[in-house]
Short mmCIF file of all heavy atoms in Angstrom, two decimals:
data_model
loop_
_atom_site.label_atom_id
_atom_site.label_comp_id
_atom_site.label_asym_id
_atom_site.label_seq_id
_atom_site.Cartn_x
_atom_site.Cartn_y
_atom_site.Cartn_z
N SER W 103 -28.53 -29.98 33.81
CA SER W 103 -27.46 -28.91 34.34
C SER W 103 -28.08 -27.88 35.09
O SER W 103 -27.39 -27.03 35.68
CB SER W 103 -26.79 -28.36 33.10
OG SER W 103 -27.60 -27.49 32.33
N ALA W 373 -33.89 -22.11 30.06
CA ALA W 373 -32.69 -22.00 29.27
C ALA W 373 -31.54 -21.22 29.89
O ALA W 373 -30.43 -21.56 29.74
CB ALA W 373 -33.09 -21.28 27.95
N ARG W 374 -31.94 -20.15 30.68
CA ARG W 374 -30.79 -19.48 31.29
C ARG W 374 -30.24 -20.13 32.51
O ARG W 374 -29.07 -20.06 32.86
CB ARG W 374 -31.20 -18.03 31.61
CG ARG W 374 -32.33 -17.86 32.70
CD ARG W 374 -32.69 -16.39 32.86
NE ARG W 374 -33.72 -16.23 33.75
CZ ARG W 374 -34.74 -15.33 33.58
NH1 ARG W 374 -34.91 -14.68 32.55
NH2 ARG W 374 -35.72 -15.22 34.56
N LYS W 375 -31.20 -20.91 33.21
CA LYS W 375 -30.71 -21.64 34.46
C LYS W 375 -29.82 -22.81 34.14
O LYS W 375 -29.12 -23.28 35.00
CB LYS W 375 -31.91 -22.00 35.27
CG LYS W 375 -32.49 -20.96 36.12
CD LYS W 375 -33.48 -21.52 37.07
CE LYS W 375 -33.91 -20.38 38.05
NZ LYS W 375 -34.83 -20.93 39.20
N GLN W 376 -29.87 -23.31 32.84
CA GLN W 376 -29.00 -24.37 32.53
C GLN W 376 -27.72 -23.97 31.93
O GLN W 376 -26.89 -24.82 31.74
CB GLN W 376 -29.76 -25.29 31.47
CG GLN W 376 -30.27 -24.63 30.22
CD GLN W 376 -29.30 -24.67 29.09
OE1 GLN W 376 -28.78 -25.71 28.69
NE2 GLN W 376 -29.08 -23.48 28.49
N VAL W 377 -27.49 -22.68 31.79
CA VAL W 377 -26.19 -22.23 31.24
C VAL W 377 -25.15 -22.34 32.33
O VAL W 377 -25.43 -22.05 33.54
CB VAL W 377 -26.27 -20.71 30.78
CG1 VAL W 377 -24.88 -20.19 30.40
CG2 VAL W 377 -27.23 -20.56 29.64
N VAL W 378 -24.04 -22.97 31.92
CA VAL W 378 -22.93 -23.15 32.86
C VAL W 378 -21.82 -22.19 32.51
O VAL W 378 -21.25 -22.22 31.34
CB VAL W 378 -22.44 -24.59 32.81
CG1 VAL W 378 -21.32 -24.87 33.88
CG2 VAL W 378 -23.57 -25.58 33.15
N LEU W 379 -21.33 -21.43 33.43
CA LEU W 379 -20.13 -20.53 33.24
C LEU W 379 -18.88 -21.43 33.66
O LEU W 379 -18.62 -21.76 34.80
CB LEU W 379 -20.23 -19.33 34.23
CG LEU W 379 -19.04 -18.39 34.19
CD1 LEU W 379 -18.77 -17.84 32.79
CD2 LEU W 379 -19.30 -17.13 35.13
N LEU W 380 -18.18 -21.72 32.62
CA LEU W 380 -16.95 -22.64 32.82
C LEU W 380 -15.74 -21.81 33.23
O LEU W 380 -14.99 -22.34 34.08
CB LEU W 380 -16.72 -23.34 31.46
CG LEU W 380 -17.81 -24.34 30.92
CD1 LEU W 380 -17.44 -24.88 29.57
CD2 LEU W 380 -18.02 -25.48 31.95
N GLU W 381 -15.53 -20.74 32.61
CA GLU W 381 -14.33 -19.90 32.93
C GLU W 381 -14.67 -18.42 32.89
O GLU W 381 -15.54 -18.00 32.09
CB GLU W 381 -13.20 -20.14 31.96
CG GLU W 381 -12.63 -21.63 31.92
CD GLU W 381 -11.50 -21.79 30.91
OE1 GLU W 381 -10.89 -20.77 30.53
OE2 GLU W 381 -11.29 -22.93 30.46
N ASN W 382 -14.12 -17.67 33.82
CA ASN W 382 -14.37 -16.24 33.79
C ASN W 382 -13.10 -15.47 34.22
O ASN W 382 -12.89 -15.16 35.45
CB ASN W 382 -15.59 -15.88 34.66
CG ASN W 382 -16.08 -14.47 34.46
OD1 ASN W 382 -15.77 -13.82 33.44
ND2 ASN W 382 -16.82 -14.01 35.37
N LYS W 383 -12.19 -15.29 33.31
CA LYS W 383 -10.88 -14.73 33.62
C LYS W 383 -10.98 -13.24 33.91
O LYS W 383 -11.54 -12.49 33.06
CB LYS W 383 -9.91 -14.93 32.51
CG LYS W 383 -9.69 -16.41 32.20
CD LYS W 383 -8.82 -16.70 30.95
CE LYS W 383 -8.59 -18.05 30.61
NZ LYS W 383 -7.91 -18.32 29.40
N ASN W 384 -10.53 -12.88 35.11
CA ASN W 384 -10.49 -11.41 35.49
C ASN W 384 -11.91 -10.85 35.45
O ASN W 384 -12.10 -9.63 35.17
CB ASN W 384 -9.57 -10.57 34.65
CG ASN W 384 -8.21 -11.10 34.71
OD1 ASN W 384 -7.64 -11.47 35.74
ND2 ASN W 384 -7.46 -11.20 33.54
N GLN W 385 -12.95 -11.66 35.74
CA GLN W 385 -14.29 -11.15 35.84
C GLN W 385 -14.69 -10.48 34.55
O GLN W 385 -15.27 -9.38 34.53
CB GLN W 385 -14.57 -10.26 37.08
CG GLN W 385 -14.59 -11.02 38.34
CD GLN W 385 -13.27 -11.48 38.79
OE1 GLN W 385 -12.29 -10.78 38.86
NE2 GLN W 385 -13.24 -12.82 39.13
N ALA W 386 -14.29 -11.03 33.41
CA ALA W 386 -14.66 -10.48 32.12
C ALA W 386 -16.17 -10.47 31.93
O ALA W 386 -16.68 -9.62 31.11
CB ALA W 386 -14.05 -11.32 31.03
N LEU W 387 -16.87 -11.37 32.48
CA LEU W 387 -18.26 -11.40 32.43
C LEU W 387 -18.84 -10.93 33.79
O LEU W 387 -18.23 -11.33 34.83
CB LEU W 387 -18.76 -12.83 32.09
CG LEU W 387 -18.56 -13.25 30.60
CD1 LEU W 387 -18.88 -14.68 30.48
CD2 LEU W 387 -19.34 -12.41 29.70
N PRO W 388 -19.96 -10.33 33.84
CA PRO W 388 -20.87 -9.99 32.72
C PRO W 388 -20.32 -8.81 31.95
O PRO W 388 -19.56 -7.97 32.42
CB PRO W 388 -22.21 -9.66 33.42
CG PRO W 388 -21.74 -9.09 34.73
CD PRO W 388 -20.56 -9.95 35.18
N LEU W 389 -20.82 -8.77 30.71
CA LEU W 389 -20.50 -7.59 29.86
C LEU W 389 -21.29 -6.39 30.26
O LEU W 389 -22.41 -6.46 30.68
CB LEU W 389 -20.86 -7.94 28.36
CG LEU W 389 -20.06 -9.14 27.80
CD1 LEU W 389 -20.56 -9.49 26.44
CD2 LEU W 389 -18.52 -8.89 27.71
N THR W 638 -12.86 -11.46 23.96
CA THR W 638 -13.69 -12.53 23.28
C THR W 638 -14.29 -13.47 24.35
O THR W 638 -13.55 -13.91 25.21
CB THR W 638 -12.88 -13.23 22.31
OG1 THR W 638 -12.40 -12.36 21.17
CG2 THR W 638 -13.59 -14.41 21.67
N ILE W 639 -15.53 -13.73 24.17
CA ILE W 639 -16.27 -14.72 25.06
C ILE W 639 -16.58 -15.85 24.11
O ILE W 639 -17.04 -15.69 22.99
CB ILE W 639 -17.52 -14.09 25.63
CG1 ILE W 639 -17.21 -12.86 26.44
CG2 ILE W 639 -18.24 -15.17 26.49
CD1 ILE W 639 -16.25 -12.99 27.56
N VAL W 640 -16.41 -17.09 24.61
CA VAL W 640 -16.64 -18.30 23.82
C VAL W 640 -17.94 -19.00 24.50
O VAL W 640 -17.91 -19.24 25.72
CB VAL W 640 -15.48 -19.28 23.72
CG1 VAL W 640 -15.88 -20.59 23.15
CG2 VAL W 640 -14.38 -18.73 23.03
N VAL W 641 -18.91 -19.30 23.56
CA VAL W 641 -20.04 -20.02 24.03
C VAL W 641 -20.00 -21.39 23.41
O VAL W 641 -19.93 -21.50 22.12
CB VAL W 641 -21.37 -19.29 23.67
CG1 VAL W 641 -22.61 -20.17 24.04
CG2 VAL W 641 -21.40 -18.02 24.34
N LEU W 642 -19.95 -22.44 24.19
CA LEU W 642 -19.89 -23.81 23.59
C LEU W 642 -21.36 -24.34 23.68
O LEU W 642 -21.94 -24.44 24.87
CB LEU W 642 -18.95 -24.72 24.46
CG LEU W 642 -17.50 -24.20 24.53
CD1 LEU W 642 -16.71 -25.12 25.54
CD2 LEU W 642 -16.86 -24.26 23.22
N TRP W 652 -9.79 -23.51 23.94
CA TRP W 652 -10.70 -22.37 23.79
C TRP W 652 -9.85 -21.12 23.58
O TRP W 652 -10.33 -20.01 23.78
CB TRP W 652 -11.59 -22.15 25.05
CG TRP W 652 -12.10 -23.52 25.69
CD1 TRP W 652 -12.14 -23.73 27.02
CD2 TRP W 652 -12.58 -24.60 25.00
NE1 TRP W 652 -12.70 -24.97 27.15
CE2 TRP W 652 -12.99 -25.52 25.96
CE3 TRP W 652 -12.75 -24.87 23.64
CZ2 TRP W 652 -13.53 -26.74 25.65
CZ3 TRP W 652 -13.32 -26.16 23.33
CH2 TRP W 652 -13.70 -27.11 24.29
N ALA W 655 -9.70 -17.07 25.25
CA ALA W 655 -11.01 -16.58 25.64
C ALA W 655 -10.94 -16.12 27.10
O ALA W 655 -10.45 -16.66 27.98
CB ALA W 655 -12.08 -17.65 25.37
N LYS W 656 -11.64 -14.97 27.29
CA LYS W 656 -11.76 -14.37 28.64
C LYS W 656 -12.80 -14.98 29.45
O LYS W 656 -12.80 -15.07 30.68
CB LYS W 656 -11.97 -12.89 28.52
CG LYS W 656 -10.76 -12.07 27.88
CD LYS W 656 -9.51 -12.32 28.61
CE LYS W 656 -8.45 -11.51 27.94
NZ LYS W 656 -7.07 -11.75 28.61
N GLY W 657 -13.82 -15.53 28.70
CA GLY W 657 -14.97 -16.21 29.45
C GLY W 657 -15.43 -17.33 28.49
O GLY W 657 -15.38 -17.23 27.33
N VAL W 658 -15.81 -18.43 29.18
CA VAL W 658 -16.30 -19.57 28.40
C VAL W 658 -17.63 -20.01 29.09
O VAL W 658 -17.66 -20.20 30.28
CB VAL W 658 -15.24 -20.73 28.41
CG1 VAL W 658 -15.82 -21.89 27.64
CG2 VAL W 658 -13.94 -20.31 27.90
N LEU W 659 -18.68 -20.14 28.21
CA LEU W 659 -19.96 -20.63 28.75
C LEU W 659 -20.25 -21.91 27.98
O LEU W 659 -19.84 -22.15 26.87
CB LEU W 659 -21.07 -19.59 28.40
CG LEU W 659 -20.98 -18.25 29.08
CD1 LEU W 659 -21.96 -17.30 28.36
CD2 LEU W 659 -21.41 -18.36 30.55
N TRP W 660 -21.09 -22.83 28.64
CA TRP W 660 -21.69 -23.92 27.98
C TRP W 660 -23.17 -23.88 28.09
O TRP W 660 -23.74 -23.54 29.09
CB TRP W 660 -21.19 -25.26 28.60
CG TRP W 660 -21.88 -26.47 27.98
CD1 TRP W 660 -21.62 -27.00 26.78
CD2 TRP W 660 -22.99 -27.18 28.51
NE1 TRP W 660 -22.54 -28.08 26.52
CE2 TRP W 660 -23.41 -28.19 27.57
CE3 TRP W 660 -23.69 -27.11 29.65
CZ2 TRP W 660 -24.44 -29.05 27.76
CZ3 TRP W 660 -24.86 -27.94 29.91
CH2 TRP W 660 -25.16 -28.95 28.95
N THR W 661 -23.82 -24.24 27.00
CA THR W 661 -25.30 -24.45 27.01
C THR W 661 -25.61 -25.69 26.16
O THR W 661 -24.93 -26.01 25.15
CB THR W 661 -26.04 -23.17 26.36
OG1 THR W 661 -27.40 -23.43 26.32
CG2 THR W 661 -25.47 -22.86 25.00
N SER W 662 -26.65 -26.32 26.48
CA SER W 662 -27.19 -27.36 25.65
C SER W 662 -27.92 -26.68 24.51
O SER W 662 -27.99 -25.46 24.50
CB SER W 662 -28.15 -28.24 26.42
OG SER W 662 -29.38 -27.51 26.64
N LEU W 672 -29.06 -16.68 26.58
CA LEU W 672 -27.64 -16.34 26.56
C LEU W 672 -27.38 -14.86 26.83
O LEU W 672 -26.44 -14.46 27.54
CB LEU W 672 -27.05 -16.73 25.23
CG LEU W 672 -26.75 -18.20 25.03
CD1 LEU W 672 -26.30 -18.53 23.63
CD2 LEU W 672 -25.69 -18.73 26.02
N VAL W 675 -27.60 -13.89 30.42
CA VAL W 675 -26.38 -14.27 31.22
C VAL W 675 -25.28 -13.46 30.78
O VAL W 675 -24.47 -12.89 31.68
CB VAL W 675 -26.07 -15.75 30.91
CG1 VAL W 675 -24.72 -16.12 31.54
CG2 VAL W 675 -27.16 -16.67 31.64
N LEU W 676 -25.00 -13.20 29.56
CA LEU W 676 -23.82 -12.43 29.02
C LEU W 676 -23.81 -10.98 29.56
O LEU W 676 -22.77 -10.45 29.97
CB LEU W 676 -23.83 -12.38 27.53
CG LEU W 676 -23.50 -13.68 26.80
CD1 LEU W 676 -23.75 -13.65 25.32
CD2 LEU W 676 -21.93 -14.02 27.00
N PHE W 677 -24.91 -10.38 29.66
CA PHE W 677 -25.05 -8.98 30.08
C PHE W 677 -25.50 -8.85 31.53
O PHE W 677 -25.84 -7.75 32.02
CB PHE W 677 -25.94 -8.17 29.16
CG PHE W 677 -25.30 -8.08 27.74
CD1 PHE W 677 -25.81 -8.99 26.79
CD2 PHE W 677 -24.36 -7.20 27.50
CE1 PHE W 677 -25.19 -8.94 25.56
CE2 PHE W 677 -23.86 -7.06 26.22
CZ PHE W 677 -24.25 -7.97 25.23
N GLY W 678 -25.50 -9.98 32.33
CA GLY W 678 -25.63 -9.83 33.72
C GLY W 678 -27.00 -9.65 34.26
O GLY W 678 -27.25 -9.34 35.45
N TYR W 680 -28.88 -11.98 34.54
CA TYR W 680 -29.05 -13.19 35.31
C TYR W 680 -27.67 -13.76 35.59
O TYR W 680 -26.85 -13.80 34.65
CB TYR W 680 -29.91 -14.21 34.57
CG TYR W 680 -30.08 -15.53 35.28
CD1 TYR W 680 -30.97 -15.59 36.33
CD2 TYR W 680 -29.26 -16.61 35.03
CE1 TYR W 680 -31.19 -16.74 37.08
CE2 TYR W 680 -29.41 -17.76 35.74
CZ TYR W 680 -30.41 -17.85 36.80
OH TYR W 680 -30.49 -19.09 37.49
N SER W 681 -27.41 -14.10 36.74
CA SER W 681 -26.09 -14.64 37.19
C SER W 681 -26.08 -16.08 36.88
O SER W 681 -26.96 -16.86 37.47
CB SER W 681 -25.80 -14.45 38.65
OG SER W 681 -24.62 -15.03 39.00
N PRO W 682 -25.25 -16.54 36.01
CA PRO W 682 -25.19 -18.02 35.64
C PRO W 682 -25.10 -18.95 36.91
O PRO W 682 -24.28 -18.60 37.85
CB PRO W 682 -24.11 -18.15 34.71
CG PRO W 682 -23.15 -17.07 35.05
CD PRO W 682 -24.05 -15.90 35.49
N SER W 683 -25.76 -20.03 36.92
CA SER W 683 -25.72 -20.85 38.05
C SER W 683 -25.99 -22.32 37.77
O SER W 683 -26.15 -23.20 38.64
CB SER W 683 -26.74 -20.45 39.22
OG SER W 683 -28.02 -20.23 38.64
N GLY W 684 -25.90 -22.71 36.49
CA GLY W 684 -25.99 -24.08 36.09
C GLY W 684 -24.72 -24.79 36.54
O GLY W 684 -23.65 -24.19 36.69
N ARG W 685 -24.83 -26.09 36.62
CA ARG W 685 -23.69 -26.91 36.95
C ARG W 685 -23.57 -28.11 36.05
O ARG W 685 -24.64 -28.61 35.61
CB ARG W 685 -23.81 -27.43 38.38
CG ARG W 685 -23.83 -26.39 39.52
CD ARG W 685 -22.59 -25.73 39.67
NE ARG W 685 -22.47 -24.81 40.78
CZ ARG W 685 -22.83 -23.50 40.73
NH1 ARG W 685 -23.30 -22.92 39.59
NH2 ARG W 685 -22.74 -22.74 41.79
N LEU W 686 -22.34 -28.56 35.70
CA LEU W 686 -22.12 -29.64 34.76
C LEU W 686 -22.78 -30.96 35.33
O LEU W 686 -22.39 -31.32 36.46
CB LEU W 686 -20.67 -29.83 34.47
CG LEU W 686 -20.00 -28.74 33.70
CD1 LEU W 686 -18.58 -29.05 33.42
CD2 LEU W 686 -20.77 -28.41 32.37
N PRO W 687 -23.64 -31.62 34.55
CA PRO W 687 -24.07 -32.92 35.04
C PRO W 687 -23.22 -34.03 34.64
O PRO W 687 -23.52 -35.21 34.94
CB PRO W 687 -25.45 -32.96 34.28
CG PRO W 687 -25.18 -32.21 32.99
CD PRO W 687 -24.25 -31.19 33.32
N TRP W 690 -16.15 -33.40 32.29
CA TRP W 690 -15.63 -33.02 30.99
C TRP W 690 -14.23 -33.47 31.05
O TRP W 690 -13.39 -32.95 31.84
CB TRP W 690 -15.68 -31.54 30.78
CG TRP W 690 -17.00 -31.03 30.32
CD1 TRP W 690 -18.28 -31.47 30.79
CD2 TRP W 690 -17.28 -30.01 29.36
NE1 TRP W 690 -19.28 -30.78 30.18
CE2 TRP W 690 -18.68 -29.92 29.24
CE3 TRP W 690 -16.53 -29.33 28.54
CZ2 TRP W 690 -19.36 -29.05 28.45
CZ3 TRP W 690 -17.19 -28.41 27.69
CH2 TRP W 690 -18.56 -28.27 27.58
N LEU W 720 -10.91 -31.86 32.67
CA LEU W 720 -10.91 -30.42 32.19
C LEU W 720 -11.87 -29.62 33.09
O LEU W 720 -11.51 -28.53 33.59
CB LEU W 720 -11.42 -30.40 30.76
CG LEU W 720 -11.45 -29.09 30.15
CD1 LEU W 720 -10.07 -28.45 29.97
CD2 LEU W 720 -12.05 -29.20 28.66
N TYR W 721 -13.01 -30.10 33.27
CA TYR W 721 -14.05 -29.54 34.24
C TYR W 721 -14.67 -30.60 34.98
O TYR W 721 -15.18 -31.58 34.36
CB TYR W 721 -15.08 -28.68 33.54
CG TYR W 721 -14.51 -27.66 32.61
CD1 TYR W 721 -14.71 -27.66 31.25
CD2 TYR W 721 -13.81 -26.50 33.10
CE1 TYR W 721 -14.24 -26.67 30.39
CE2 TYR W 721 -13.31 -25.53 32.33
CZ TYR W 721 -13.56 -25.60 30.94
OH TYR W 721 -13.14 -24.66 30.11
N PRO W 722 -14.70 -30.55 36.34
CA PRO W 722 -15.26 -31.69 37.09
C PRO W 722 -16.83 -31.73 37.11
O PRO W 722 -17.41 -30.71 36.90
CB PRO W 722 -14.69 -31.36 38.50
CG PRO W 722 -14.54 -29.93 38.57
CD PRO W 722 -14.14 -29.47 37.17
N GLY W 724 -20.35 -31.27 38.31
CA GLY W 724 -20.87 -30.31 39.32
C GLY W 724 -20.19 -28.92 39.17
O GLY W 724 -20.69 -27.93 39.84
N HIS W 725 -19.29 -28.74 38.23
CA HIS W 725 -18.60 -27.51 38.04
C HIS W 725 -19.50 -26.39 37.49
O HIS W 725 -20.34 -26.73 36.62
CB HIS W 725 -17.37 -27.60 37.24
CG HIS W 725 -16.72 -26.37 36.78
ND1 HIS W 725 -16.00 -25.59 37.76
CD2 HIS W 725 -16.64 -25.69 35.67
CE1 HIS W 725 -15.50 -24.55 37.11
NE2 HIS W 725 -15.88 -24.54 35.84
N GLY W 726 -19.31 -25.12 37.92
CA GLY W 726 -20.10 -24.11 37.37
C GLY W 726 -19.80 -22.83 38.24
O GLY W 726 -19.91 -22.84 39.45
N LEU W 727 -19.47 -21.71 37.53
CA LEU W 727 -19.10 -20.47 38.26
C LEU W 727 -20.33 -19.59 38.28
O LEU W 727 -21.33 -19.82 37.54
CB LEU W 727 -18.00 -19.78 37.61
CG LEU W 727 -16.65 -20.58 37.46
CD1 LEU W 727 -15.63 -19.73 36.61
CD2 LEU W 727 -16.13 -21.09 38.73
N THR W 728 -20.29 -18.58 39.09
CA THR W 728 -21.35 -17.49 39.10
C THR W 728 -20.71 -16.10 39.08
O THR W 728 -19.52 -15.95 39.19
CB THR W 728 -22.25 -17.68 40.38
OG1 THR W 728 -21.53 -17.16 41.48
CG2 THR W 728 -22.67 -19.05 40.62
N TYR W 729 -21.58 -15.14 38.94
CA TYR W 729 -21.02 -13.70 39.05
C TYR W 729 -20.87 -13.28 40.54
O TYR W 729 -20.35 -12.33 40.78
CB TYR W 729 -21.89 -12.76 38.35
CG TYR W 729 -21.95 -12.99 36.80
CD1 TYR W 729 -23.05 -12.68 36.09
CD2 TYR W 729 -20.96 -13.71 36.14
CE1 TYR W 729 -23.20 -12.88 34.70
CE2 TYR W 729 -20.93 -13.87 34.75
CZ TYR W 729 -22.05 -13.45 34.01
OH TYR W 729 -22.00 -13.72 32.65
N GLY W 730 -21.42 -14.10 41.44
CA GLY W 730 -21.30 -13.82 42.83
C GLY W 730 -20.10 -14.52 43.35
O GLY W 730 -19.41 -15.26 42.59
N SER W 731 -19.81 -14.48 44.70
CA SER W 731 -18.79 -15.35 45.25
C SER W 731 -19.32 -15.62 46.59
O SER W 731 -20.07 -15.01 47.28
CB SER W 731 -17.50 -14.45 45.50
OG SER W 731 -17.70 -13.25 46.21
N PHE W 732 -18.94 -16.89 47.06
CA PHE W 732 -19.50 -17.42 48.17
C PHE W 732 -18.49 -18.13 49.14
O PHE W 732 -17.56 -18.70 48.68
CB PHE W 732 -20.53 -18.61 47.66
CG PHE W 732 -21.71 -18.16 46.97
CD1 PHE W 732 -21.68 -17.95 45.61
CD2 PHE W 732 -22.84 -17.85 47.67
CE1 PHE W 732 -22.78 -17.48 44.93
CE2 PHE W 732 -23.96 -17.34 47.02
CZ PHE W 732 -23.95 -17.14 45.68
N THR W 762 -23.56 -9.09 44.15
CA THR W 762 -24.37 -9.61 43.04
C THR W 762 -25.36 -10.70 43.61
O THR W 762 -24.95 -11.57 44.27
CB THR W 762 -23.50 -10.17 41.91
OG1 THR W 762 -22.61 -9.27 41.52
CG2 THR W 762 -24.36 -10.70 40.88
N SER W 764 -27.22 -13.92 43.35
CA SER W 764 -26.88 -15.09 42.57
C SER W 764 -27.45 -16.32 43.31
O SER W 764 -27.82 -16.29 44.48
CB SER W 764 -25.40 -15.20 42.41
OG SER W 764 -25.03 -16.16 41.48
N GLU W 765 -27.45 -17.36 42.54
CA GLU W 765 -27.79 -18.66 43.07
C GLU W 765 -26.55 -19.54 43.20
O GLU W 765 -25.61 -19.40 42.40
CB GLU W 765 -28.85 -19.38 42.13
CG GLU W 765 -30.23 -18.73 42.16
CD GLU W 765 -31.13 -19.36 41.13
OE1 GLU W 765 -31.06 -19.05 39.88
OE2 GLU W 765 -31.96 -20.24 41.48
N GLU W 766 -26.53 -20.36 44.24
CA GLU W 766 -25.48 -21.19 44.45
C GLU W 766 -25.99 -22.60 44.60
O GLU W 766 -27.04 -22.82 45.17
CB GLU W 766 -24.75 -20.88 45.76
CG GLU W 766 -23.58 -21.80 46.10
CD GLU W 766 -22.34 -21.73 45.30
OE1 GLU W 766 -22.40 -21.06 44.21
OE2 GLU W 766 -21.29 -22.22 45.76
N ARG W 791 -30.19 -25.96 45.31
CA ARG W 791 -29.98 -24.79 44.58
C ARG W 791 -30.74 -23.67 45.30
O ARG W 791 -31.95 -23.70 45.34
CB ARG W 791 -30.47 -24.87 43.08
CG ARG W 791 -30.31 -23.75 42.29
CD ARG W 791 -30.57 -24.00 40.79
NE ARG W 791 -30.42 -22.77 40.05
CZ ARG W 791 -29.89 -22.70 38.78
NH1 ARG W 791 -29.60 -23.80 38.14
NH2 ARG W 791 -29.89 -21.54 38.18
N SER W 834 -18.88 -26.35 45.99
CA SER W 834 -19.64 -25.90 44.86
C SER W 834 -19.48 -26.81 43.61
O SER W 834 -20.06 -26.59 42.54
CB SER W 834 -19.25 -24.48 44.47
OG SER W 834 -17.94 -24.44 44.11
N SER W 835 -18.66 -27.88 43.76
CA SER W 835 -18.51 -28.85 42.67
C SER W 835 -17.87 -30.11 43.32
O SER W 835 -17.25 -30.04 44.46
CB SER W 835 -17.83 -28.41 41.49
OG SER W 835 -16.39 -28.48 41.60
N ASP W 838 -14.37 -28.83 43.80
CA ASP W 838 -14.22 -27.58 44.60
C ASP W 838 -14.89 -27.77 45.87
O ASP W 838 -15.93 -27.20 46.15
CB ASP W 838 -14.81 -26.38 43.77
CG ASP W 838 -14.53 -25.04 44.48
OD1 ASP W 838 -13.80 -25.02 45.41
OD2 ASP W 838 -15.01 -24.01 43.94
#
Side-chain angles (χ1 to χ4, degrees):
S103 72
R374 66 184 179 221
K375 281 192 171 184
Q376 55 91 53
V377 173
V378 180
L379 178 58
L380 298 174
E381 298 180 18
N382 194 16
K383 299 173 183 175
N384 301 319
Q385 286 72 54
L387 289 170
L389 300 173
T638 295
I639 306 300
V640 172
V641 177
L642 304 172
W652 323 137
K656 297 302 181 184
V658 182
L659 298 165
W660 174 78
T661 175
S662 72
L672 284 174
V675 171
L676 288 167
F677 292 97
Y680 179 79
S681 176
S683 49
R685 297 292 187 270
L686 293 179
W690 283 42
L720 180 63
Y721 304 114
H725 172 71
L727 307 176
T728 75
Y729 295 154
S731 57
F732 292 87
T762 302
S764 189
E765 291 175 278
E766 175 76 343
R791 179 171 179 146
S834 62
S835 84
D838 187 6

